[in-house]
Amino acid sequence: MRCFIGLDLHSTEKLALDSWRQQALPEVTARNMFNLSEGRAKKEGRGNKGKRRDSGASQPYAVNAANYHMTLSFLGHITHRQHEALVAELDVLVHTPFSLTLDTTGIWNGPKILFAAPQSPPAELMALAKSTRKAARAAAIEVDNKGFSPHVTVIRKATAALPVPLYTPHVEMHASAFHLFESVSTPQGVTYPIRQSWSLRHSMSVREKLRRGINDE
């Protein structure tokens, strides 16, 4: 199966980020909305068929809010044996919960995406990403050696021609677990079901947690 390790956004965080996208980039619509308008145009016989196909292929489109996530380590296709070894490695990781703010944006020309990201990624996030990549390598899974750049993809097929967002996002994101996601292609588009989860917990005594008012439940 094709997998990655990452963070999921809470439903309220996804809604907040999608609300920002709709207001800051009103020109960009969801892919299904574009396909709907194409279908209406075909039914009404408007425009040139080849031209519509070309414009659809290059049209920027908004990522479905349900698919918002932050990748920690991309794994690609893994075997059953690699999956078992990876789970064993991830089972022993100990990292603490953390929060971050998605407060800047950017465009990557290679994958052609517009993303939201934290200007100041917390040390806990960077350490968790490093540990998950180390765990993947220990499970004989090849992962790239590029520096980790935390981000949430908001728009695909983005180019420099895409209008600049009207304002920057400010979405608080709280991480209390990390997950193994599978990338599944469907006729309606890609989905990212969570196959397994690991809680982030404070590595301190129960007494210290009570003193600080921390609850890992």
Side-chain angles (χ1 to χ4, degrees), residues 149-179:
S149 298
H151 67 280
V152 177
T153 299
V154 178
I155 293 173
R156 295 194 180 278
K157 295 190 179 179
T159 65
L162 187 72
V164 175
L166 298 177
Y167 63 97
T168 56
H170 189 90
V171 177
E172 298 290 336
M173 182 175 163
H174 306 282
S176 59
F178 65 98
H179 315 276

Side-chain angles (χ1 to χ4, degrees), residues 11-125:
S11 58
T12 56
E13 296 165 351
K14 291 180 179 181
L15 289 173
L17 185 57
D18 195 50
S19 177
W20 165 81
R21 190 271 307 167
Q22 293 180 43
Q23 296 176 56
L25 289 156
E27 304 88 349
V28 182
T29 58
R31 194 175 207 175
N32 58 350
M33 293 300 294
F34 180 78
N35 290 339
L36 181 61
S37 65
E38 285 288 278
R40 288 173 178 168
K42 288 179 182 178
K43 185 175 288 187
E44 295 171 11
R46 296 199 306 266
N48 178 272
K49 184 184 295 184
K51 188 175 181 180
R52 283 200 306 271
R53 187 181 297 114
D54 292 342
S55 65
S58 60
Q59 184 82 4
Y61 66 90
V63 170
N64 187 325
N67 283 347
Y68 287 161
H69 66 273
M70 181 175 286
T71 300
L72 298 172
S73 180
F74 179 73
L75 308 175
H77 291 280
I78 64 174
T79 65
H80 179 69
R81 179 174 295 181
Q82 287 174 321
H83 173 257
E84 288 187 334
L86 176 65
V87 169
E89 292 291 335
L90 296 178
D91 279 346
V92 299
L93 294 188
V94 178
H95 285 272
T96 59
F98 57 86
S99 298
L100 58 86
T101 304
L102 301 173
D103 54 0
T104 189
T105 62
I107 288 180
W108 282 347
N109 292 323
K112 291 184 171 59
I113 62 169
L114 181 142
F115 60 86
Q119 289 194 65
S120 302
E124 296 89 345
L125 167 61

